[in-house]
Coordinates of all heavy atoms in Angstrom, one line a residue:
V195 N 26.5 16.7 -12.0 CA 26.0 15.3 -12.1 C 24.8 15.1 -11.2 O 23.8 14.4 -11.6 CB 27.1 14.3 -11.6 CG1 26.6 12.9 -11.5 CG2 28.3 14.4 -12.6
L196 N 24.7 15.8 -10.1 CA 23.5 15.7 -9.2 C 22.3 16.3 -9.9 O 21.2 15.7 -9.7 CB 23.8 16.4 -7.9 CG 24.7 15.7 -6.9 CD1 25.0 16.6 -5.7 CD2 24.2 14.4 -6.5
H197 N 22.5 17.3 -10.7 CA 21.4 17.9 -11.4 C 20.9 16.9 -12.5 O 19.7 16.7 -12.7 CB 21.8 19.2 -12.1 CG 21.9 20.4 -11.2 ND1 21.1 21.4 -11.3 CD2 22.7 20.6 -10.1 CE1 21.4 22.3 -10.4 NE2 22.4 21.8 -9.6
L198 N 21.9 16.1 -13.1 CA 21.5 15.1 -14.0 C 20.7 14.0 -13.3 O 19.6 13.5 -13.8 CB 22.7 14.5 -14.7 CG 23.5 15.4 -15.6 CD1 24.7 14.6 -16.1 CD2 22.6 15.7 -16.8
L199 N 21.1 13.6 -12.1 CA 20.4 12.6 -11.4 C 19.0 13.1 -11.0 O 18.1 12.3 -11.0 CB 21.2 12.2 -10.1 CG 22.5 11.4 -10.4 CD1 23.3 11.2 -9.0 CD2 22.2 10.1 -11.0
A200 N 18.9 14.3 -10.5 CA 17.6 14.9 -10.1 C 16.7 14.9 -11.3 O 15.5 14.5 -11.2 CB 17.8 16.3 -9.6
A201 N 17.2 15.3 -12.5 CA 16.4 15.3 -13.7 C 16.0 13.9 -14.1 O 14.8 13.6 -14.5 CB 17.2 15.9 -14.8
A202 N 16.9 12.9 -13.9 CA 16.6 11.6 -14.2 C 15.5 11.0 -13.3 O 14.6 10.3 -13.7 CB 17.8 10.7 -14.1
G203 N 15.6 11.4 -12.0 CA 14.6 11.0 -11.0 C 13.2 11.5 -11.4 O 12.2 10.8 -11.3
A204 N 13.1 12.8 -11.9 CA 11.9 13.3 -12.2 C 11.3 12.6 -13.4 O 10.1 12.2 -13.5 CB 12.0 14.8 -12.6
S205 N 12.2 12.3 -14.4 CA 11.7 11.6 -15.6 C 11.4 10.1 -15.3 O 10.6 9.5 -16.0 CB 12.8 11.6 -16.7 OG 13.9 10.9 -16.3
A206 N 12.0 9.6 -14.3 CA 11.8 8.1 -13.9 C 10.5 7.9 -13.1 O 10.2 6.8 -12.7 CB 13.0 7.6 -13.2
G207 N 9.8 9.0 -12.7 CA 8.6 8.9 -12.0 C 8.6 9.4 -10.6 O 7.6 9.2 -9.9
F208 N 9.7 9.9 -10.1 CA 9.8 10.4 -8.7 C 8.7 11.5 -8.5 O 8.1 11.6 -7.4 CB 11.2 11.0 -8.4 CG 11.3 11.5 -7.0 CD1 11.3 10.7 -5.9 CD2 11.5 12.9 -6.8 CE1 11.4 11.2 -4.7 CE2 11.6 13.4 -5.6 CZ 11.6 12.5 -4.5
S209 N 8.5 12.3 -9.5 CA 7.5 13.4 -9.4 C 6.1 12.9 -9.7 O 5.2 13.7 -9.7 CB 7.9 14.6 -10.3 OG 7.9 14.2 -11.6
G210 N 6.0 11.7 -10.1 CA 4.7 11.1 -10.4 C 4.2 11.5 -11.8 O 3.0 11.4 -12.2
A211 N 5.2 11.8 -12.7 CA 4.8 12.3 -14.0 C 4.4 11.2 -14.9 O 3.6 11.3 -15.9 CB 6.0 13.1 -14.6
L212 N 5.0 10.0 -14.7 CA 4.7 8.9 -15.6 C 3.4 8.2 -15.1 O 3.1 8.1 -14.0 CB 5.9 7.8 -15.6 CG 7.2 8.3 -16.2 CD1 8.2 7.2 -16.1 CD2 7.0 8.8 -17.6
S213 N 2.7 7.6 -16.1 CA 1.5 6.8 -15.8 C 1.9 5.5 -15.2 O 3.0 5.1 -15.3 CB 0.7 6.6 -17.1 OG 1.4 5.7 -17.9
A214 N 1.0 4.8 -14.5 CA 1.2 3.5 -13.9 C 1.7 2.5 -15.0 O 2.5 1.6 -14.7 CB 0.0 3.0 -13.2
K215 N 1.2 2.7 -16.2 CA 1.5 1.7 -17.3 C 3.0 1.9 -17.6 O 3.7 0.9 -18.0 CB 0.6 2.0 -18.5 CG 0.9 1.0 -19.6 CD -0.1 1.3 -20.8 CE 0.2 0.4 -21.9 NZ -0.7 0.6 -23.1
E216 N 3.5 3.2 -17.7 CA 4.8 3.4 -18.1 C 5.8 3.2 -17.0 O 7.0 2.8 -17.2 CB 5.0 4.9 -18.6 CG 4.2 5.2 -19.8 CD 4.2 6.7 -20.1 OE1 3.9 7.5 -19.2 OE2 4.5 7.1 -21.2
A217 N 5.4 3.4 -15.7 CA 6.3 3.2 -14.6 C 6.7 1.8 -14.4 O 5.8 0.9 -14.4 CB 5.7 3.8 -13.3
K218 N 7.9 1.5 -14.1 CA 8.4 0.1 -13.8 C 8.0 -0.3 -12.4 O 8.2 0.5 -11.5 CB 9.9 0.1 -14.0 CG 10.5 -1.3 -13.8 CD 12.0 -1.3 -14.1 CE 12.6 -2.7 -13.9 NZ 14.1 -2.7 -14.1
A219 N 7.5 -1.5 -12.3 CA 7.1 -2.0 -11.0 C 8.3 -2.1 -10.1 O 9.3 -2.6 -10.5 CB 6.3 -3.3 -11.1
P220 N 8.2 -1.7 -8.8 CA 9.3 -1.8 -7.9 C 9.6 -3.3 -7.6 O 8.7 -4.1 -7.5 CB 8.9 -1.1 -6.6 CG 7.4 -1.2 -6.7 CD 7.0 -1.1 -8.1
P221 N 10.9 -3.7 -7.4 CA 11.2 -5.1 -7.2 C 10.7 -5.6 -5.8 O 10.4 -6.7 -5.6 CB 12.8 -5.1 -7.2 CG 13.2 -3.7 -7.0 CD 12.1 -2.8 -7.6
K222 N 10.5 -4.6 -4.8 CA 10.0 -5.0 -3.5 C 8.8 -4.1 -3.3 O 8.9 -3.0 -2.6 CB 11.0 -4.9 -2.4 CG 12.3 -5.8 -2.7 CD 13.2 -5.9 -1.5 CE 12.6 -6.9 -0.5 NZ 13.6 -7.2 0.6
P223 N 7.6 -4.4 -3.8 CA 6.4 -3.6 -3.6 C 6.1 -3.3 -2.1 O 5.6 -2.2 -1.8 CB 5.3 -4.4 -4.2 CG 6.0 -5.3 -5.1 CD 7.3 -5.7 -4.5
Q224 N 6.5 -4.2 -1.2 CA 6.2 -4.0 0.2 C 7.0 -2.8 0.8 O 6.7 -2.4 1.9 CB 6.5 -5.3 1.0 CG 8.0 -5.7 1.0 CD 8.4 -6.6 -0.1 OE1 7.8 -6.5 -1.2 NE2 9.3 -7.5 0.2
N225 N 8.0 -2.4 0.1 CA 8.8 -1.3 0.5 C 8.3 0.1 0.1 O 8.9 1.1 0.5 CB 10.3 -1.4 0.0 CG 11.1 -2.5 0.8 OD1 10.6 -3.0 1.7 ND2 12.3 -2.7 0.3
V226 N 7.2 0.1 -0.7 CA 6.6 1.4 -1.1 C 5.7 1.8 0.0 O 4.5 1.5 0.0 CB 5.9 1.2 -2.4 CG1 5.3 2.6 -2.9 CG2 6.8 0.7 -3.5
V227 N 6.2 2.6 0.9 CA 5.5 3.0 2.1 C 5.7 4.5 2.5 O 6.5 5.1 1.9 CB 5.9 2.1 3.4 CG1 5.6 0.7 3.2 CG2 7.4 2.3 3.6
S228 N 4.9 5.0 3.4 CA 5.1 6.3 3.9 C 6.3 6.4 4.8 O 6.8 5.4 5.3 CB 3.8 6.8 4.6 OG 3.7 6.0 5.9
P229 N 6.8 7.6 5.1 CA 7.9 7.8 6.1 C 7.5 7.2 7.4 O 8.4 6.5 8.0 CB 8.0 9.3 6.1 CG 7.6 9.8 4.8 CD 6.5 8.9 4.4
D230 N 6.3 7.4 7.9 CA 5.9 6.8 9.2 C 5.9 5.3 9.2 O 6.3 4.7 10.2 CB 4.6 7.4 9.7 CG 4.6 8.8 10.1 OD1 5.7 9.3 10.4 OD2 3.6 9.5 10.0
Q231 N 5.4 4.7 8.1 CA 5.4 3.3 8.0 C 6.8 2.7 7.9 O 7.1 1.7 8.5 CB 4.6 2.8 6.8 CG 4.4 1.3 6.7 CD 3.7 0.7 7.8 OE1 2.6 1.2 8.2 NE2 4.2 -0.4 8.4
A232 N 7.7 3.4 7.2 CA 9.1 3.0 7.1 C 9.8 3.0 8.5 O 10.5 2.1 8.9 CB 9.9 3.9 6.2
L233 N 9.5 4.0 9.3 CA 10.0 4.1 10.7 C 9.4 2.9 11.5 O 10.2 2.4 12.3 CB 9.7 5.4 11.3 CG 10.3 5.7 12.7 CD1 11.8 5.6 12.7 CD2 9.8 7.1 13.2
K234 N 8.2 2.6 11.3 CA 7.6 1.5 12.0 C 8.3 0.2 11.6 O 8.5 -0.7 12.5 CB 6.1 1.4 11.7 CG 5.3 0.3 12.4 CD 3.8 0.5 12.2 CE 3.0 -0.5 13.0 NZ 3.1 -1.9 12.4
F235 N 8.6 0.0 10.4 CA 9.4 -1.2 9.9 C 10.7 -1.3 10.7 O 11.1 -2.4 11.1 CB 9.7 -1.1 8.4 CG 8.5 -1.5 7.5 CD1 8.6 -1.4 6.2 CD2 7.3 -1.9 8.1 CE1 7.6 -1.7 5.3 CE2 6.2 -2.2 7.2 CZ 6.4 -2.1 5.9
L236 N 11.4 -0.2 10.8 CA 12.7 -0.2 11.5 C 12.5 -0.6 13.0 O 13.2 -1.4 13.5 CB 13.4 1.2 11.4 CG 14.0 1.6 10.1 CD1 14.7 2.9 10.2 CD2 14.9 0.5 9.5
H237 N 11.5 0.0 13.6 CA 11.2 -0.3 15.0 C 10.9 -1.7 15.2 O 11.4 -2.4 16.1 CB 10.1 0.6 15.5 CG 9.7 0.4 16.9 ND1 10.5 0.7 18.0 CD2 8.5 -0.1 17.5 CE1 9.9 0.4 19.1 NE2 8.7 -0.1 18.8
E238 N 10.0 -2.3 14.4 CA 9.6 -3.7 14.5 C 10.8 -4.6 14.3 O 11.0 -5.6 15.0 CB 8.5 -4.0 13.5 CG 7.2 -3.3 13.9 CD 6.1 -3.5 12.8 OE1 6.5 -3.9 11.7 OE2 4.9 -3.2 13.1
G239 N 11.6 -4.3 13.3 CA 12.8 -5.1 13.0 C 13.8 -5.1 14.1 O 14.4 -6.1 14.5
N240 N 14.0 -3.9 14.8 CA 14.9 -3.8 15.9 C 14.4 -4.6 17.1 O 15.2 -5.2 17.8 CB 15.1 -2.4 16.3 CG 16.2 -2.2 17.4 OD1 15.8 -1.6 18.5 ND2 17.4 -2.7 17.2
Q241 N 13.1 -4.6 17.3 CA 12.5 -5.4 18.4 C 12.7 -6.8 18.2 O 13.1 -7.6 19.1 CB 11.0 -5.1 18.4 CG 10.6 -3.8 19.1 CD 9.1 -3.6 19.2 OE1 8.3 -4.0 18.4 NE2 8.7 -3.0 20.4

């Protein structure tokens, strides 16, 4: 099942295979960030 999920992730755009037109827009665009920015979000929220 995990292999199926991984394959689904690749086909859903995790690997960047889909074009911007085909890819579904994320419900919270502000959450599309780098690992460092995500950590900054957590730090700021905890503060």
Side-chain angles (χ1 to χ4, degrees):
V195 173
L196 286 177
H197 282 246
L198 290 176
L199 290 175
S205 65
F208 179 68
S209 63
L212 293 182
S213 67
K215 182 178 179 180
E216 293 173 309
K218 184 178 179 181
K222 301 192 80 168
Q224 67 270 31
N225 286 355
V226 182
V227 295
S228 68
D230 287 337
Q231 184 63 45
L233 185 58
K234 185 173 183 286
F235 282 176
L236 289 183
H237 179 67
E238 292 173 345
N240 184 240
Q241 284 185 320

